[in-house]
Amino acid sequence: MSTTQNAAQANNYINLTTEGIGYLSRVRVVMPKRSKEGFLACTVNAMHGNKDDKDGIQYVKFDCRVSGAKAIEVVNKLMEAANNKNDKVLVSFKIGDYYIDTFQYTEGEKAGQTGTVLKGRLLRVSWAKVNGEKVYDGIAEAKAKAEAEAAEANAQA
């Protein structure tokens, strides 16, 4: 496929993404019924609202398939803390291709009722903090990589 064809295909695709901060939880490997290969999934409770107001912060829950090699690497490293009820894992994220999905409750008070969930793909984790301590900084990592590439390009010139 030529570069022109790639550019034309890229221009025909419209992205819907959300960037923000939220709490990472329920990191797990999902084994689909029709596939032998599992995939990494997680929940992101994204925050929005006025942090200065009492009860000003609200949450939107996304159930995500983790996409991209770097995102998978980072979420795997955060899995233990994210699944520990005593730890708080705050992440800066980018989620794309989200949609509403329905499911049937099988247990509890709502058994037999239909529920909804917002699903998407976790595309990027820009930084992560566990209990307030920064454990990953993809922004600084990307900046350092860009500076190293620029220095190498200048050295070759």
Side-chain angles (χ1 to χ4, degrees):
M1 187 178 288
S2 73
T3 306
T4 306
Q5 288 173 322
N6 285 339
Q9 284 183 342
N11 289 336
N12 289 334
Y13 192 81
I14 300 169
N15 290 315
L16 177 62
T17 60
T18 294
E19 294 186 34
I21 62 171
Y23 290 102
L24 183 71
S25 63
R26 292 187 62 226
V27 178
R28 62 216 180 269
V29 175
V30 175
M31 295 300 295
K33 294 176 185 173
R34 298 180 204 150
S35 176
K36 293 180 182 177
E37 246 182 83
F39 60 88
L40 189 62
C42 66
T43 298
V44 175
N45 285 303
M47 295 187 276
H48 68 96
N50 187 348
K51 64 183 181 180
D52 294 331
D53 287 350
K54 184 180 182 229
D55 301 324
I57 298 294
Q58 296 179 1
Y59 295 88
V60 175
K61 181 174 154 182
F62 289 90
D63 273 346
C64 299
R65 179 180 190 140
V66 184
S67 299
K70 191 63 179 179
I72 291 170
E73 177 187 328
V74 172
V75 172
N76 268 321
K77 287 180 182 177
L78 296 169
M79 183 185 291
E80 186 177 333
N83 291 338
N84 183 342
K85 300 247 186 247
N86 296 322
D87 290 331
K88 298 285 185 199
V89 180
L90 184 66
V91 295
S92 172
F93 64 85
K94 183 175 185 177
I95 295 174
D97 302 330
Y98 45 92
Y99 60 97
I100 296 172
D101 195 20
T102 59
F103 64 94
Q104 201 76 17
Y105 286 101
T106 57
E107 299 174 356
E109 256 181 51
K110 296 183 179 182
Q113 295 180 20
T114 301
T116 59
V117 63
L118 192 55
K119 291 192 173 191
R121 292 187 312 128
L122 180 62
L123 304 171
R124 182 178 62 225
V125 175
S126 297
W127 54 258
K129 293 181 180 182
V130 176
N131 299 322
E133 182 181 330
K134 191 171 270 190
V135 295
Y136 172 72
D137 191 346
I139 298 167
E141 189 177 284
K143 184 178 178 184
K145 182 180 177 183
E147 288 173 354
E149 289 173 355
E152 185 178 320
N154 287 337
Q156 290 178 356

